[in-house]
Amino acid sequence: MPRSVFFVSDSTGITIENLGRALLAQFGDTGFHHQTYVFIDSPAKVDTVIAAIDYAAERDGERPLVFSTQADPALRRRLAGCRGLLLDPFDAFTGLLAEELGKEPQSRRGHLHGIFDRNRYDSRMAAVEFTLRHDDGALPGRYSEAELILVGPSRTGKTPTSLYLAIQYGIRVANYPLLDEELESLRLPPALLACRDRLYGLVVDPERLQEIRSARRPGDRDYASPARCRHEVEAAIALFRRNAIPWLNATSMSVEEIAAHIISDLGLHR
Amino acid sequence: MPRSVFFVSDSTGITIENLGRALLAQFGDTGFHHQTYVFIDSPAKVDTVIAAIDYAAERDGERPLVFSTQADPALRRRLAGCRGLLLDPFDAFTGLLAEELGKEPQSRRGHLHGIFDRNRYDSRMAAVEFTLRHDDGALPGRYSEAELILVGPSRTGKTPTSLYLAIQYGIRVANYPLLDEELESLRLPPALLACRDRLYGLVVDPERLQEIRSARRPGDRDYASPARCRHEVEAAIALFRRNAIPWLNATSMSVEEIAAHIISDLGLHR
């Protein structure tokens, strides 16, 4: 029987799921049976979760692991009555923080995935819209509002990275695929020259680019040819260097990692 | 002087930033001065962070709060030498987990935002592509691959929610804005009828819809008129009820909250 793992949250569960999985990854994140319970914000809902945990404990013959974030101390205490091993960062840190800050915590649901600030949230959604409208070289004449413009050869991860930066951080991102002409001349088009301080380059290894392009357009031999992929990557890097554009080889990086590097390299506001 | 808060991570910092902000929200998340350090995965980088923390401690005259996730125990110990109050969930929970599981942790960087599994990551990126291609009613004839289809009046949050579900969870989402004809007849078009088990409805309050539509198309009085907004919302709800489509009023919800509700309601794999 695999060990049962419960992720329990008074909100979306995104944070505790990420944290719990990261902790389990240290022990080889295999052989666990995950279940996630979200919006657990009342005694009745806590009792439902306790019943599920206790059932798993009985069935498995060993304690389930329970990763939980619960801002309400009464609900935290209630959940602690379950037959699992409870791991709650609110429990672990709230006392320390209260002492350090000389304040009592309010049991506001502790997550940050709600809409605390309507203006800030709306501007995040506006960033998503901006990013969609300026995907793949669309509307380069209107880059003045962009906070960041990703440039690179086709299929180097510009679109998903742009969307991630917009959704997660509310950054207005445009992305521009370098054209043959630009890769030959190593010159930026006027629309990009005008906002050179906001450009960021992306490439992946030619072998990886080949793989992605073959999967994407199986019929198009030239698009995915080794020679063309190598040439485009080399020319893009030469163009970045010549124009002093910071850049990244994203071959083995996730969109989250690419996003974190860009924000850090450009000193953008997270 | 505001209290200094450091978010320090051996990876992207996404998890610790969310957790730290959630904890601080309990104490009124104001009057803090945030700094984030990511990819801190070597002694030299840890020393840079320690210098910044110690400088803030000196300048502020009080201990900075340091939220950190660091899977490497040696680097954790090194960072513990700083003059801040260190709060690290790896420190808090790794020992407990090791005891419970009867195993030693490996100091694999503990995040989940890397590419551990190339196939799984690629399928997440494919979901983003699918979702972009099937945005706003595009290609309804090809919904067979969709795992979820969001339906609702125009401007109820379908697009950002779809993109969030794709990026965060790798779910292939299409979204379909209900047309006047469908809102009059309360009948689903054939493309949607064929995948009724995967439909999910979204509405927002008519007043909120008005606000969003006015901001979006300031010139179009009819599109944002109170009567039209009220009618569309009421008709959409009637259509959801008649066709037994689960639905949500997302007025005061963030995309993360909407996503978590949908996944939970439909029992999708997170």
Side-chain angles (χ1 to χ4, degrees):
Chain A
M1 208 60 176
R3 172 82 68 155
S4 292
V5 174
F6 289 81
F7 300 116
V8 184
S9 171
D10 56 3
S11 172
T12 64
I14 295 167
T15 300
I16 193 62
E17 209 176 69
N18 284 339
L19 178 62
R21 287 177 192 263
L23 284 161
L24 293 178
Q26 292 185 106
F27 297 93
D29 185 8
T30 51
F32 295 110
H33 176 254
H34 300 143
Q35 271 180 273
T36 301
Y37 286 82
V38 296
F39 303 112
I40 303 305
D41 54 6
S42 71
K45 290 186 189 169
V46 170
D47 290 345
T48 309
V49 176
I50 292 175
I53 295 168
D54 289 356
Y55 174 80
E58 188 66 39
R59 183 196 57 199
D60 301 352
E62 57 186 2
R63 282 209 286 188
L65 307 177
V66 183
F67 294 94
S68 166
T69 43
Q70 181 56 261
D72 185 306
L75 296 183
R76 243 174 11 230
R77 277 193 302 274
R78 194 176 189 100
L79 184 61
C82 78
R83 291 173 57 190
L85 172 66
L86 191 62
L87 305 146
D88 186 326
F90 277 74
D91 243 0
F93 299 127
T94 300
L96 282 173
L97 281 170
E99 201 178 309
E100 181 71 25
L101 297 170
K103 270 197 203 180
E104 284 308 300
Q106 299 139 18
S107 67
R108 288 217 286 166
R109 274 202 280 157
H111 59 88
L112 278 173
H113 296 298
I115 302 182
F116 283 140
D117 176 338
R118 171 60 75 185
N119 286 336
R120 211 182 139 175
Y121 182 74
D122 285 352
S123 98
R124 219 176 115 209
M125 292 304 105
V128 174
E129 250 184 72
F130 178 92
T131 299
L132 278 172
R133 277 206 312 278
H134 296 81
D135 184 34
D136 203 29
L139 308 176
R142 301 204 202 150
Y143 281 181
S144 59
E145 266 184 75
E147 293 168 82
L148 167 69
I149 301 140
L150 295 181
V151 290
S154 162
R155 311 304 298 172
T156 50
K158 297 184 298 303
T159 295
T161 302
S162 301
L163 288 169
Y164 188 79
L165 284 160
I167 289 190
Q168 181 77 14
Y169 298 108
I171 299 173
R172 289 164 188 259
V173 190
N175 75 76
Y176 183 91
L178 292 168
L179 306 174
D180 288 348
E181 191 192 314
E182 291 141 13
L183 291 170
E184 291 315 319
S185 68
L186 306 187
R187 290 217 174 108
L188 291 169
L192 294 188
L193 270 177
C195 32
R196 199 150 79 177
D197 54 321
R198 284 165 287 154
L199 300 181
Y200 197 95
L202 279 188
V203 292
V204 296
D205 289 342
E207 299 70 33
R208 175 73 186 142
L209 192 57
Q210 249 174 274
E211 246 177 65
I212 307 173
R213 287 185 170 182
S214 307
R216 166 73 173 188
R217 287 200 218 149
D220 191 340
R221 288 276 183 89
D222 175 48
Y223 181 63
S225 78
R228 177 157 168 191
C229 289
R230 197 170 45 246
H231 169 69
E232 287 195 27
V233 170
E234 284 170 4
I237 293 172
L239 181 145
F240 300 150
R241 291 204 166 123
R242 176 192 277 215
N243 294 276
I245 298 169
W247 62 279
L248 199 62
N249 180 331
T251 305
S252 54
M253 291 183 192
S254 66
V255 284
E256 289 88 350
E257 289 171 320
I258 304 170
H261 275 292
I262 295 172
I263 288 175
S264 167
D265 289 354
L266 295 184
L268 291 170
H269 181 72
R270 287 171 77 108
Chain B
M1 209 59 177
R3 172 82 68 157
S4 292
V5 173
F6 288 80
F7 301 115
V8 184
S9 171
D10 56 3
S11 173
T12 64
I14 295 168
T15 300
I16 194 62
E17 209 176 69
N18 284 338
L19 178 63
R21 286 177 192 262
L23 284 162
L24 293 178
Q26 292 187 105
F27 297 93
D29 185 8
T30 51
F32 295 111
H33 176 253
H34 300 143
Q35 272 180 274
T36 301
Y37 286 81
V38 296
F39 303 111
I40 303 305
D41 54 6
S42 71
K45 290 186 190 170
V46 171
D47 290 346
T48 308
V49 176
I50 292 175
I53 296 168
D54 289 356
Y55 174 79
E58 187 67 37
R59 183 195 57 200
D60 302 352
E62 57 186 2
R63 281 210 286 189
L65 307 177
V66 183
F67 294 94
S68 166
T69 44
Q70 180 56 260
D72 184 304
L75 296 183
R76 250 183 355 239
R77 278 192 301 275
R78 194 176 189 101
L79 184 59
C82 77
R83 292 174 56 190
L85 172 66
L86 191 62
L87 305 145
D88 186 325
F90 277 74
D91 242 1
F93 300 127
T94 299
L96 282 172
L97 281 171
E99 202 178 310
E100 181 71 24
L101 298 170
K103 268 196 202 181
E104 283 309 300
Q106 299 137 16
S107 67
R108 288 218 285 166
R109 274 201 281 156
H111 58 88
L112 278 174
H113 297 298
I115 302 181
F116 283 140
D117 176 339
R118 170 62 73 186
N119 286 337
R120 210 180 141 179
Y121 182 73
D122 285 352
S123 97
R124 219 175 115 210
M125 292 304 106
V128 174
E129 249 183 73
F130 179 92
T131 299
L132 278 172
R133 277 205 313 277
H134 296 81
D135 183 35
D136 203 29
L139 307 175
R142 302 205 202 149
Y143 281 0
S144 59
E145 265 185 76
E147 294 168 81
L148 167 69
I149 301 141
L150 295 180
V151 290
S154 161
R155 311 303 300 172
T156 51
K158 297 184 299 302
T159 295
T161 303
S162 302
L163 288 169
Y164 188 80
L165 284 160
I167 289 189
Q168 182 76 13
Y169 297 108
I171 298 173
R172 289 165 187 259
V173 190
N175 74 77
Y176 183 91
L178 292 167
L179 306 174
D180 288 349
E181 192 191 316
E182 290 141 13
L183 291 171
E184 292 315 320
S185 67
L186 305 187
R187 290 216 175 108
L188 290 169
L192 295 189
L193 271 177
C195 33
R196 201 150 77 176
D197 54 321
R198 285 166 287 154
L199 300 182
Y200 197 96
L202 279 187
V203 292
V204 296
D205 290 341
E207 299 70 32
R208 175 73 187 143
L209 192 56
Q210 249 173 273
E211 246 176 64
I212 307 173
R213 287 185 172 184
S214 308
R216 167 71 172 186
R217 286 201 220 150
D220 190 339
R221 288 276 184 89
D222 175 48
Y223 181 63
S225 78
R228 176 156 169 192
C229 290
R230 197 169 44 247
H231 169 70
E232 287 195 28
V233 170
E234 284 168 4
I237 292 172
L239 182 145
F240 300 150
R241 292 205 166 121
R242 174 191 277 215
N243 294 278
I245 298 168
W247 62 280
L248 198 63
N249 180 330
T251 306
S252 55
M253 291 183 192
S254 66
V255 284
E256 289 88 351
E257 289 172 320
I258 303 170
H261 276 291
I262 294 172
I263 288 175
S264 168
D265 289 353
L266 296 183
L268 292 169
H269 182 73
R270 288 171 74 108

